[in-house]
Amino acid sequence: MASFLALLFIITIFTVSLFLLRKSRYRRLRLPPGSLGLPFVGETLQLISAYKSDNPEPFMDQRVNRYGSIFTTHVFGEPTVFSADPETNRFILLNEGKLFDCSYPGSISNLLGKHSLLLMKGTLHKRMHSLTMSFANSSIIKDHLLVDIDRLIRLNMDSWTDRVLLMEEAKKITFELTVKQLMSFDPDEWTESLRKEYVLVIEGFFTLPLPLLSTTYRKAIKARTKVAEALTLIVRQRRKESESREKKDMLGALLASGDNFSDEEIVDFMLALLVAGYETTSTIMTLAIKFLTETPLALAQLKEEHDQIRARSTDPDAALEWTDYKSMAFTQCVVNETLRVANIIGGIFRRAMTDINIKGYTIPKGWKVFASFRAVHMNPDHFKDARTFNPWRWQSSNSEVVNPGNLYTPFGGGPRLCPGYELARVVLSVFLHRFVTRFSWVPAEEDKLVFFPTTRTQKRYPIIVKRREESKPSSTQ
Ligand code: HEM
């Protein structure tokens, strides 16, 4: 008993001294105001509980009201400076690689692989980022991706009847599209079994990277190995045939780039691209439908826009043309507003490479920073009635958002600007076109949005769909 009390005493003294030491070191620097919370856990539990609800705003609102738009907190085991300030966010984004480095949790880094674009740094990152951009830009989308996007979306929707888990279906579509774009494969059993392994890999992102303690992480590592093996076989196969058959896909571009990438480099690169577009694009597809369902006036206007495009052709299944996409003016307002309100990527973590002075404060070297896009997008000082879904705010006649500048950053910015931003917009627009012209629908049950560990609806948004021609009264009646 005496030795237990002595141990308890030592632990208490150690913890208190650590806490005081930490406080006095930070007091010497001009840190942004805030609270580091409890020793070790900091304010992690408050953050998680806010973001696990459908209204995470109070976590930021309370701290911004108390300390201002740049404040210090302590989350996920580290002191972190949070920014809800658009100028500071821009500064962080633009100084990537100079003052700040990207920073992902160990589980994500291990599962992605060291050659993934998300983890690359320096000149190689620059080169690979521009290669990726060149592969998802508007002329490539116009020249050949649009046809595949439209075809695969229709193919998937052909089998939808009655109750549909929209989030699941959207994920399937997005995965198939990315596989097609990367290596020209049409969906089949191979694609679906690869997707199942992917789901396991992604589940591992949000666990501790400790195989002995976490079954989910162990399964994710196993699945990652399987995915890498499957992709390696494809790369090797393509190397053999690359001289005779030049395919217009990402893998072809990598092999023809003259950079002599190894199999491992190409596999890591493709694996990460499949992850980056998968959750994000499918979630935005689902949430666009959810927000429209809850805003009938916007839905009616959107339907009208798309019915008019359909009316231009006698064939209801005629492929969409680039000019059709370009004529979807209100759809672009819906896309912008969905991205603003949903905040699929609510912000980005970086690590300070040196002591950084900003707005009169110091961010100490080695500290994490979090540039919160969400806090800016949801701030009524920047967007009128910010917490309401209002696609009309994006209409060119509306003076509110003529030039949103640094205020609107759903795809980030600077050297790590999302290379899939244009592609995601086209996929979402085509999906909305086919969805509203083919179906009427009602939610099958209440479903709630949550924002941790990722933005999603709790029940994968179940809906009951009805083909529009079925719901129309027959002309002979
Ligand atoms: C609605 C859909 C999407 C959203 C909201 C989104 C958002 C973002 C954001 C905010 C970043 C910046 C991350 C950072 O600065 O650390 C990013 C990076 C990235 N995105 Fe997207 N993205 C979407 C779709 C896509 C698609 C379809 C692709 C596939 C081509 C893609 C590929 C990537 C890649 C590879 C990166 C890493 C870039 C780098 O680190 O250099 N994204 N995305």
Side-chain angles (χ1 to χ4, degrees):
M1 183 65 184
S3 58
F4 173 73
L5 283 176
L7 186 70
L8 198 69
F9 180 71
I10 292 168
I11 291 175
T12 312
I13 293 289
F14 177 74
T15 312
V16 171
S17 334
L18 207 72
F19 185 66
L20 293 176
L21 207 72
R22 196 178 66 171
K23 268 205 140 172
S24 84
R25 188 172 100 75
Y26 294 151
R27 216 175 283 137
R28 273 180 270 129
L29 295 171
R30 289 203 63 204
L31 295 175
S35 160
L36 294 175
L38 297 168
F40 305 113
V41 278
E43 298 191 302
T44 311
L45 300 179
Q46 288 99 312
L47 180 128
I48 292 181
S49 84
Y51 283 80
K52 269 193 162 175
S53 77
D54 58 354
N55 178 25
E57 267 54 71
F59 181 85
M60 288 301 283
D61 288 352
Q62 282 161 10
R63 285 160 184 79
V64 169
N65 289 340
R66 200 156 161 201
Y67 307 117
S69 57
I70 306 176
F71 63 87
T72 300
T73 176
H74 188 287
V75 289
F76 306 116
E78 293 191 55
T80 306
V81 172
F82 268 52
S83 160
D85 173 51
E87 269 179 39
T88 306
N89 287 358
R90 187 174 158 77
F91 178 81
I92 295 168
L93 287 170
L94 293 183
N95 282 293
E96 160 73 20
K98 295 180 202 147
L99 299 175
F100 300 96
D101 245 350
C102 67
S103 168
Y104 286 96
S107 51
I108 297 188
S109 313
N110 296 346
L111 290 166
L112 283 179
K114 61 178 184 288
H115 306 294
S116 101
L117 185 62
L118 287 82
L119 303 175
M120 267 178 208
K121 293 185 180 160
T123 37
L124 184 60
H125 171 259
K126 214 169 163 187
R127 159 95 187 106
M128 296 309 281
H129 188 270
S130 85
L131 192 71
T132 317
M133 279 284 214
S134 71
F135 207 75
N137 64 26
S138 52
S139 59
I140 298 273
I141 301 173
K142 179 180 157 192
D143 287 350
H144 63 277
L145 293 185
L146 179 64
V147 178
D148 289 329
I149 294 169
D150 189 25
R151 186 173 57 83
L152 288 177
I153 287 176
R154 276 182 287 152
L155 191 71
N156 271 280
M157 285 182 179
D158 282 348
S159 62
W160 293 7
T161 49
D162 201 27
R163 189 182 157 99
V164 168
L165 279 176
L166 194 59
M167 185 72 205
E168 278 308 298
E169 297 298 334
K171 281 188 172 173
K172 191 163 167 284
I173 292 174
T174 322
F175 193 79
E176 290 175 1
L177 279 174
T178 318
V179 169
K180 181 78 188 167
Q181 180 201 357
L182 284 178
M183 42 199 153
S184 303
F185 288 161
D186 272 326
D188 60 6
E189 279 168 26
W190 182 85
T191 334
E192 196 47 24
S193 70
L194 191 70
R195 190 170 79 90
K196 293 211 170 106
E197 298 300 335
Y198 250 89
V199 173
L200 297 175
V201 176
I202 292 172
E203 278 171 11
F205 285 176
F206 308 104
T207 56
L208 284 176
L210 303 171
L212 287 178
L213 292 184
S214 164
T215 324
T216 313
Y217 188 67
R218 267 201 312 277
K219 281 190 188 159
I221 293 278
K222 249 192 199 161
R224 205 254 177 223
T225 310
K226 280 193 195 163
V227 171
E229 281 168 1
L231 295 180
T232 307
L233 285 180
I234 308 295
V235 176
R236 292 196 177 145
Q237 184 65 31
R238 280 289 285 279
R239 277 195 200 279
K240 284 187 207 151
E241 53 185 55
S242 61
E243 269 155 39
S244 52
R245 270 179 40 205
E246 279 246 336
K247 287 199 178 108
K248 278 184 171 179
D249 55 22
M250 189 77 208
L251 178 53
L254 288 168
L255 291 171
S257 72
D259 290 89
N260 288 323
F261 296 120
S262 67
D263 288 356
E264 192 195 350
E265 282 171 327
I266 296 183
V267 165
D268 279 8
F269 185 81
M270 294 207 301
L271 198 142
L273 269 192
L274 268 162
V275 170
Y278 179 63
E279 287 272 338
T280 46
T281 315
S282 52
T283 307
I284 209 75
M285 285 152 85
T286 310
L287 294 187
I289 297 301
K290 180 170 166 46
F291 297 154
L292 285 165
T293 310
E294 291 159 5
T295 319
L297 271 180
L299 178 59
Q301 189 166 336
L302 187 85
K303 266 190 184 156
E304 199 182 317
E305 179 164 281
H306 290 286
D307 283 349
Q308 274 173 15
I309 294 173
R310 273 302 97 219
R312 286 183 212 149
S313 164
T314 45
D315 175 3
D317 271 336
L320 271 175
E321 305 278 340
W322 187 249
T323 46
D324 294 327
Y325 168 65
K326 283 305 205 187
S327 71
M328 298 176 183
F330 186 65
T331 308
Q332 295 319 305
C333 300
V334 170
V335 170
N336 284 342
E337 186 66 350
T338 305
L339 287 163
R340 186 189 71 83
V341 176
N343 291 296
I344 304 295
I345 308 284
I348 43 109
F349 279 103
R350 297 284 192 261
R351 192 177 292 286
M353 293 161 76
T354 175
D355 282 356
I356 295 160
N357 295 317
I358 185 156
K359 302 227 161 174
Y361 301 122
T362 303
I363 303 174
K365 179 180 176 180
W367 270 35
K368 275 204 168 177
V369 294
F370 181 70
S372 174
F373 306 151
R374 181 178 187 98
V376 177
H377 293 164
M378 302 308 264
N379 185 337
D381 292 341
H382 304 316
F383 294 90
K384 201 170 135 201
D385 230 345
R387 293 173 192 189
T388 308
F389 178 80
N390 171 11
W392 295 277
R393 76 172 79 241
W394 297 95
Q395 278 177 334
S396 51
S397 55
N398 191 335
S399 59
E400 189 201 335
V401 201
V402 176
N403 179 15
N406 343 332
L407 297 179
Y408 184 64
T409 52
F411 294 107
R416 289 197 185 269
L417 170 72
C418 172
Y421 74 94
E422 190 124 36
L423 184 63
R425 297 187 71 94
V426 175
V427 171
L428 181 52
S429 305
V430 175
F431 172 78
L432 286 174
H433 174 81
R434 291 299 174 189
F435 191 75
V436 302
T437 52
R438 282 185 169 206
F439 300 106
S440 60
W441 70 94
V442 285
E445 49 189 296
E446 277 272 312
D447 198 2
K448 215 175 92 176
L449 250 178
V450 290
F451 300 89
F452 185 87
T454 56
T455 304
R456 59 177 86 171
T457 69
Q458 277 177 331
K459 298 179 184 165
R460 293 171 287 166
Y461 205 52
I463 52 172
I464 309 288
V465 296
K466 214 172 193 184
R467 297 210 172 255
R468 273 181 69 187
E469 59 270 27
E470 285 169 20
S471 45
K472 271 189 209 152
S474 152
S475 53
T476 53
Q477 278 177 346

